[in-house]
Amino acid sequence: MGRERGRGAPAAHVVCSGDELALGRIANTNAAWLSRRLSDLGFDVRRHVVVPDHLEPLAAEIRAAARAARLVILSGGLGPTVDDLTREAAARAAGRRLVRSAAALAAIRRFFARRGRPMPENNARQADLPAGAVLLRNPVGTAPGFALAVGRAFVAALPGVPAELRPMFDSRVVPLLRRRFPRRPAVAATELDTIGLPESEVDRRLAGIASPDGNPRLSLMVRDAIVTARFFARGRTGAEARRVLRSALGPARRVLGAHVFGHDGMDVSDAVAALLLERRLTLSVAESCTGGLIGHLLTRVPGISAALVEDVVTYANEAKVKRLGVSAALIRRRGAVSAEVAAAMAEGSQRASGADASLAVTGIAGPGGGTAAKPVGLVYVAARFRGATTVREFRLPGDRAMVQARAARLALDHLRRRIMGG
Amino acid sequence: MGRERGRGAPAAHVVCSGDELALGRIANTNAAWLSRRLSDLGFDVRRHVVVPDHLEPLAAEIRAAARAARLVILSGGLGPTVDDLTREAAARAAGRRLVRSAAALAAIRRFFARRGRPMPENNARQADLPAGAVLLRNPVGTAPGFALAVGRAFVAALPGVPAELRPMFDSRVVPLLRRRFPRRPAVAATELDTIGLPESEVDRRLAGIASPDGNPRLSLMVRDAIVTARFFARGRTGAEARRVLRSALGPARRVLGAHVFGHDGMDVSDAVAALLLERRLTLSVAESCTGGLIGHLLTRVPGISAALVEDVVTYANEAKVKRLGVSAALIRRRGAVSAEVAAAMAEGSQRASGADASLAVTGIAGPGGGTAAKPVGLVYVAARFRGATTVREFRLPGDRAMVQARAARLALDHLRRRIMGG
């Protein structure tokens, strides 16, 4: 950020309010998401602040942020209850009154009307905005956002629910920022999402291509067996920034090869879904230790119904036998967590579904169920495609949730490589 | 928390430094974890701050926090690199020099010796602590922490790696806090997790029982379709705090009734899993629009294999027919998203699995697939238990992810109420 700052990137602060944040019930994913977006837009994110739901402290934070930064994004506190105080705190910080916005009220009434429900009276409070604020419509929920000037700063307030904050920032705030901040430094950023290599190996392979304090700037992020390499380029013009970025991406893709499954924070499930839809392939899944996570990840993708025939979570051995035709003798002989049973699950799944491809997972997620021979974290994934079944074994670290999360991604990646012919 | 202030709960700030936090590469889980611990210890967590790795801004934040709060916890910036600035920033804030701690240096050398590696020279920087600081040994990594007075505040600095920060806080910082803050107020907190009422209605029902600035203090948190009411009580003694808490919980449970499914941040899936295991009931699930999410939620629970027989995600209509015996004519006549098909899915699932209970969901998660008669967000859930099948219809707001998340919780809640006989 030192460099970006040198280039005159406007300073931005993120102020999030909510007892659930201040008390640590939830981690501040909004600040993280907003910071990535703001940085990609050429802002210099200098500070996140979290405060509980109290009027004066929140108003004081907004004032302080508006003195220190040219852009302040607020999240949370726009709900209908008495501890939703962002509207009033922002009004105090700006020295404005609250006035009920007819447009905001109409939007809230429409929200309830669409659901055939009367609007509870206290939801009307959500339409009280600081005088002179610009209404930011909420396409998803009831809480309208707003933007207003506080001193020399531009302040935008968004709801705390990520599924509402994200589309509102992209559709309502970004256009305003482009107009209000025409002279941001030219930047260009891309992320390459990889799976199958440890972070240290990704780092080693990219060493000659980009570095943490070069241009482009390299940073690595790790989640659920996925290593994402972020390239952040700066230039005098957008064209120059994009040229700097391209000059690194080509070599990076070459050294990372088939381990790259996507870009800009995709999940392996997104890549597999896109691959299936693009090639018009159908898939059936058989899960054991991942318990439905693979189906859940794939069905986050709109339109996946064209590809996903079924996902059978055969948690009990009888279900493996009855639903997938796995031989009970095989389970007795090899154990439910074995390469042979994984293969039989994939084959049984494809036989029953008639899908073009099938994917199966069996393993020990823990904390119980491990043995010396078959420890917690032992996972077998099997993919069947074009008449051939391939099985991979993994020994995954971490607790039950981590083993399930990684097993699901590594299983999807195994299928991805089979379909790509890798 | 306003009143806690009045009652003399010492104010605490959490200041976290690191570009990876400020740029949004990672969410601030340290602040969340520390805040839960601090709140349970009777501190009033008034603020989290995140700043990037820059010396003066970090020193300024430490000074500001030390003026505003009696306790300041710092995390991050204790590594061996030039970006690790917390030692120097804290020294500046306290008006001290950095002095190399022989004890800290010895501990770092031992860390490398145990691994049979020589200590790289730059690791010696990690032993430079503000003059007069108390060393906080790191049982896990190389980065020692430290504690020192900055003005009237007690400041403790811990590494940013959660696996190092957490044991160091519990083993090194908590004993210091018990000595430095002997007169923390006695506190007691409980959360009631509810589903089936909107936040505004939970708020209305609890109005006479607890309030955002009363004792106990009420705060509401919403996630998916779950509304959690947190009651935070204070007293002169632990017994008094617990008495204050009990005096509110009874009435609260009465006005919220069967909508309360759990406490202290449980998910509905946790409650259903506990209910099944406790009553030795087996369950089979049939999912369509939730795509495996119900299975995923249930299988996060260790030991659930004793209850969950199978979960069949019948995404395609043929799968509903083949796997669940739903009549193709019924699907043609009523549509796959209908009360009749939801019931047939639940009945087919139980027939095939022989489980004591079954749960089925069918709906339109969107963004596509909606019609005037059957809009996006229309969801039917069916539960079969003790020979009876009951179906509920929901019209859920939000995007695909929100519809799926809420549909899964509402389906599990429908089953919960059936089993509870509600």
Side-chain angles (χ1 to χ4, degrees):
Chain A
M1 313 234 310
R3 289 280 281 288
E4 289 147 57
R5 190 173 294 181
R7 303 291 186 86
H13 284 202
V14 177
V15 177
C16 306
S17 63
D19 287 353
E20 68 278 23
L21 285 171
L23 293 171
R25 295 290 171 289
I26 58 176
N28 194 356
T29 54
N30 283 345
W33 186 88
L34 287 166
S35 298
R36 286 197 300 277
R37 277 286 201 278
L38 289 168
S39 156
D40 292 350
L41 287 162
F43 289 90
D44 173 9
V45 181
R46 293 199 195 161
R47 197 151 170 273
H48 308 164
V49 177
V50 168
V51 287
D53 297 311
H54 296 298
L55 184 57
E56 244 329 304
L58 177 55
E61 291 297 343
I62 297 171
R63 276 187 216 101
R67 276 193 301 271
R70 288 176 53 199
L71 173 64
V72 179
I73 307 288
L74 310 177
S75 92
L78 297 181
T81 74
V82 291
D83 46 358
D84 289 300
L85 301 164
T86 299
R87 292 174 292 263
E88 194 174 341
R92 281 197 190 189
R96 306 278 182 85
R97 297 173 302 104
L98 281 180
V99 291
R100 182 152 298 184
S101 157
L105 187 59
I108 297 165
R109 290 199 188 281
R110 275 197 303 278
F111 175 90
F112 283 97
R114 275 198 303 278
R115 282 155 191 77
R117 285 157 46 198
M119 182 189 83
E121 248 335 292
N122 50 1
N123 282 87
R125 302 178 66 250
Q126 297 184 284
D128 296 339
L129 305 183
V134 175
L135 170 66
L136 304 176
R137 295 186 187 282
N138 183 335
V140 179
T142 63
F146 59 86
L148 81 163
V150 176
R152 293 180 47 260
F154 180 74
V155 176
L158 298 170
V161 179
E164 300 182 14
L165 174 135
R166 296 178 184 197
M168 284 175 76
F169 182 83
D170 287 339
S171 66
R172 310 283 192 254
V173 178
V174 169
L176 290 175
L177 295 182
R178 295 196 189 284
R179 283 206 300 279
R180 293 277 302 211
F181 298 90
R183 276 207 252 83
R184 288 163 287 126
V187 299
T190 297
E191 296 173 356
L192 296 184
D193 302 308
T194 75
I195 185 167
L197 295 175
E199 179 182 17
S200 55
E201 175 61 15
V202 173
D203 198 34
R204 199 189 60 71
R205 293 192 185 193
L206 294 175
I209 297 167
S211 76
D213 38 20
N215 185 22
R217 178 183 207 274
L218 171 67
S219 51
L220 298 182
M221 299 161 272
V222 184
R223 63 183 199 289
D224 303 335
I226 295 167
V227 179
T228 294
R230 181 171 193 268
F231 300 83
F232 184 89
R234 297 166 304 276
R236 277 181 311 272
T237 65
E240 182 187 333
R242 286 187 294 277
R243 198 159 50 242
V244 170
L245 190 62
R246 274 197 309 275
S247 69
L249 284 180
R253 284 185 174 279
R254 271 194 300 282
V255 296
L256 296 172
H259 299 293
V260 175
F261 67 82
H263 53 80
D264 302 303
M266 284 170 64
D267 189 80
V268 196
S269 54
D270 302 318
V272 168
L275 194 59
L276 293 169
L277 293 171
E278 162 198 316
R279 305 207 179 176
R280 295 198 160 61
L281 294 170
T282 56
L283 171 71
S284 64
V285 181
E287 303 186 59
S288 183
C289 64
T290 45
L293 178 54
I294 292 175
H296 167 54
L297 291 173
L298 287 171
T299 55
R300 292 186 309 183
V301 180
I304 192 65
S305 48
L308 182 62
V309 179
E310 65 172 28
D311 176 10
V312 181
V313 181
T314 53
Y315 223 60
N317 286 344
E318 318 81 74
K320 293 183 179 70
V321 173
K322 191 191 294 181
R323 287 301 198 178
L324 301 172
V326 177
S327 126
L330 179 67
I331 294 176
R332 273 196 307 279
R333 203 164 62 250
R334 298 295 184 182
V337 178
S338 60
E340 295 81 355
V341 167
M345 287 170 68
E347 285 152 13
S349 172
Q350 189 180 35
R351 206 180 312 116
S353 67
D356 302 316
S358 67
L359 177 63
V361 187
T362 180
I364 304 165
T371 66
K374 294 186 175 182
V376 168
L378 177 66
V379 172
Y380 293 92
V381 308
R384 181 158 178 83
F385 184 58
R386 299 239 170 87
T389 306
T390 50
V391 181
R392 287 198 62 192
E393 175 188 302
F394 298 97
R395 286 161 191 272
L396 304 176
D399 62 16
R400 180 178 179 88
M402 287 165 73
V403 169
Q404 290 177 322
R406 291 174 177 172
R409 269 72 179 195
L410 292 164
L412 286 160
D413 183 53
H414 182 52
L415 174 66
R416 178 185 70 91
R417 292 174 194 248
R418 279 299 308 282
I419 294 175
M420 306 282 289
Chain B
M1 291 177 29
R3 285 289 278 292
E4 285 149 62
R5 218 167 277 178
R7 302 291 189 87
H13 285 202
V14 177
V15 178
C16 306
S17 62
D19 287 353
E20 72 282 15
L21 284 171
L23 289 173
R25 300 290 178 291
I26 57 176
N28 193 356
T29 54
N30 283 345
W33 186 88
L34 288 166
S35 298
R36 286 197 300 276
R37 278 285 202 279
L38 290 168
S39 163
D40 293 348
L41 286 162
F43 289 91
D44 173 9
V45 181
R46 291 194 200 164
R47 199 153 172 271
H48 308 162
V49 178
V50 168
V51 287
D53 297 313
H54 296 297
L55 183 57
E56 241 333 298
L58 178 54
E61 290 297 344
I62 297 171
R63 275 188 217 101
R67 275 193 302 271
R70 289 176 54 199
L71 173 64
V72 179
I73 307 289
L74 310 177
S75 92
L78 297 181
T81 76
V82 292
D83 288 358
D84 292 300
L85 302 164
T86 300
R87 291 173 294 263
E88 194 174 342
R92 282 197 188 189
R96 308 277 182 86
R97 298 172 302 105
L98 281 179
V99 292
R100 182 151 299 184
S101 156
L105 187 59
I108 296 166
R109 290 199 186 283
R110 274 197 304 278
F111 175 91
F112 283 98
R114 275 199 304 277
R115 285 157 187 71
R117 287 155 46 199
M119 182 189 83
E121 249 334 293
N122 54 358
N123 283 87
R125 302 178 67 252
Q126 297 184 283
D128 296 339
L129 304 184
V134 176
L135 169 67
L136 304 175
R137 295 186 189 282
N138 183 336
V140 180
T142 63
F146 60 86
L148 82 161
V150 176
R152 292 179 48 258
F154 180 75
V155 176
L158 298 169
V161 180
E164 300 180 17
L165 174 134
R166 296 178 184 198
M168 284 175 76
F169 182 84
D170 287 339
S171 66
R172 309 283 192 256
V173 178
V174 170
L176 290 175
L177 295 182
R178 293 196 190 284
R179 283 205 301 280
R180 290 281 298 214
F181 298 89
R183 277 207 252 83
R184 285 166 288 121
V187 298
T190 297
E191 295 172 359
L192 296 184
D193 301 309
T194 76
I195 184 167
L197 296 175
E199 179 183 18
S200 53
E201 175 61 14
V202 173
D203 197 37
R204 198 188 60 73
R205 293 193 185 192
L206 294 176
I209 297 167
S211 75
D213 34 5
N215 184 25
R217 173 173 204 275
L218 171 67
S219 50
L220 298 181
M221 295 163 270
V222 184
R223 61 187 198 289
D224 305 329
I226 296 168
V227 179
T228 294
R230 180 172 193 264
F231 300 83
F232 185 89
R234 300 163 304 278
R236 278 181 308 273
T237 65
E240 184 188 334
R242 285 187 295 277
R243 199 158 50 243
V244 170
L245 190 62
R246 274 196 310 274
S247 69
L249 284 179
R253 284 185 175 279
R254 270 193 300 281
V255 296
L256 296 173
H259 300 294
V260 176
F261 68 82
H263 53 82
D264 301 305
M266 284 169 64
D267 189 79
V268 195
S269 54
D270 301 318
V272 168
L275 194 58
L276 293 169
L277 293 171
E278 163 198 316
R279 304 205 180 178
R280 295 197 159 63
L281 294 169
T282 57
L283 172 71
S284 64
V285 181
E287 303 187 60
S288 183
C289 63
T290 45
L293 178 54
I294 292 174
H296 167 55
L297 291 173
L298 287 171
T299 55
R300 293 187 308 184
V301 179
I304 191 64
S305 48
L308 182 63
V309 179
E310 66 172 27
D311 176 10
V312 181
V313 181
T314 54
Y315 222 60
N317 286 344
E318 319 80 77
K320 292 182 179 69
V321 173
K322 190 190 294 178
R323 288 300 197 178
L324 301 172
V326 177
S327 128
L330 179 67
I331 294 177
R332 273 195 307 277
R333 203 164 60 249
R334 299 293 183 183
V337 178
S338 61
E340 295 81 355
V341 166
M345 287 170 68
E347 284 152 13
S349 172
Q350 190 181 37
R351 208 181 311 115
S353 67
D356 302 316
S358 67
L359 178 62
V361 188
T362 180
I364 304 164
T371 65
K374 295 187 175 181
V376 168
L378 178 67
V379 172
Y380 294 93
V381 309
R384 181 159 179 81
F385 183 58
R386 300 238 169 89
T389 306
T390 49
V391 182
R392 285 197 63 192
E393 175 187 301
F394 297 98
R395 287 161 191 272
L396 305 176
D399 63 13
R400 180 178 179 89
M402 288 166 75
V403 169
Q404 290 176 323
R406 291 173 178 175
R409 269 72 180 197
L410 291 164
L412 286 160
D413 183 54
H414 183 51
L415 174 66
R416 178 186 70 90
R417 292 175 195 246
R418 280 299 309 281
I419 295 175
M420 306 283 288

